[in-house]
Amino acid sequence: MSQMNITTIDLNLLKVLEALHEESSASRAALRLGVTQSAVSAALRRLRDVYGDQLFVRTGRGLAPTLKANQLKPVVSEALNKCRQSLAMVDPAANQYEGRSVTVGLSDDFEIAYGRRLIEEIAHSAPKLRLIFRQTHSQIVARALMDRSIDLAITAGGFAERLLSRQVLGEGGYACLVDPASLAPGQQQIDLQEFVAREHILVSSGGFIGITDEGLAALGLSRRVCASTTHFAALPYLLKGSRAVATIPTHAAESIAALSGLALLPCPLKLPRYPIELGWRTSTQIDPVVVKVREAIAATFT
């Protein structure tokens, strides 16, 4: 490993590390940085010497970061973002969002329902800023924020860590999705008896027991879950051609029904509502770009 002395290190190498990590390809990183692929390869050799690690290894799908690269990436990006912030202070009217990206952690129900609206809000309020949507959920979101793999997160809670701040965006409920071919002509709802009799598709980050099962158990009832998936986006393919039903957050059910042709039905079971929250590291409150995205998310949900 080289002697660690910042005066002898070309700080442009940090831009290469960031680009390689985000693009997973030397050719794509070169295109992004406006340099040749050979220049990126040369920079990677120098980075490996500086950090005493391979940093990126070739796989069948491009370049995969090592553990060390994953540890370095949030620190490097934070440092580069501070530099970008400083340039915006000199000339606030210049492209202050050029090259900046903010990573938003959320499950795909929120991405399906609000992603497009958030993109449009950012295009209006922070042109040239890029968004990265990354999958997360309430059980792992605090760790993801603290290890800096995401900058902001939208979940149903999970922000108890004392170094995290949160804002309530609203609250959510539940609705059902079914293949309309499984309904009688003109049928716009199913009663509890039919609900229990049908097979169910569960969307869950793990296990086969969800809030619907808890609600049914309180009434002395149970259902048969025929399959579980981690992705709301898979539901049109799993429900079409069957009599199965999926009980999911209303915001996702409405958006999926609008695009897929599935029938949107009220849930015949009374289920508790839940808070929708926005969380972030308290230390990022001074970063105007993260603040801008927070404001855009709040406006999108409003």
Side-chain angles (χ1 to χ4, degrees), residues 102-208:
V102 172
T103 303
V104 181
L106 71 177
S107 51
D108 71 328
D109 58 322
F110 289 120
E111 189 173 349
I112 288 167
Y114 297 103
R116 182 66 244 171
R117 279 184 269 174
L118 180 55
I119 291 170
E120 292 170 355
E121 183 69 28
I122 288 296
H124 172 72
S125 62
K128 298 191 177 180
L129 176 67
R130 295 175 297 187
L131 294 174
I132 300 171
F133 294 134
R134 185 160 292 162
Q135 289 291 299
T136 192
H137 55 78
S138 60
Q139 296 176 15
I140 63 172
V141 67
R143 185 180 66 199
L145 282 166
M146 293 308 298
D147 69 15
R148 291 176 164 77
S149 60
I150 58 177
D151 301 305
L152 296 163
I154 304 167
T155 69
F159 304 115
E161 164 69 45
R162 66 181 181 84
L163 297 177
L164 300 180
S165 298
R166 62 182 175 181
Q167 174 185 347
V168 176
L169 298 171
E171 64 173 19
Y174 296 89
C176 294
L177 290 175
V178 300
D179 185 342
S182 71
L183 299 172
Q187 184 179 359
Q188 296 183 347
Q189 60 184 25
I190 54 176
D191 60 22
L192 190 56
Q193 181 179 1
E194 182 179 353
F195 179 79
V196 171
R198 285 175 177 249
E199 290 183 332
H200 289 254
I201 303 289
L202 173 67
V203 182
S204 172
S205 57
F208 280 94

Side-chain angles (χ1 to χ4, degrees), residues 3 18 30-31 37 58 77 95 138 151 181 194 200 210 230 234 248 279 294:
Q3 182 71 28
E18 181 185 58
L31 188 62
Q37 184 173 338
R58 190 166 300 283
S77 285
N95 294 326
S138 60
D151 301 305
E194 182 179 353
H200 289 254
T230 57
I248 65 173
R294 276 171 37 203

Side-chain angles (χ1 to χ4, degrees), residues 51-99:
Y51 290 110
D53 188 87
Q54 280 289 93
L55 296 177
F56 299 93
V57 294
R58 190 166 300 283
T59 70
R61 302 184 64 182
L63 295 176
T66 64
L67 174 61
K68 176 65 73 174
N70 283 334
Q71 292 171 334
L72 288 169
K73 168 58 168 60
V75 179
V76 167
S77 285
E78 191 165 331
L80 290 173
N81 286 340
K82 292 293 184 184
C83 294
R84 292 163 182 143
Q85 250 180 277
S86 71
L87 296 176
M89 292 169 64
V90 176
D91 186 4
N95 294 326
Q96 55 183 309
Y97 303 113
E98 184 81 49

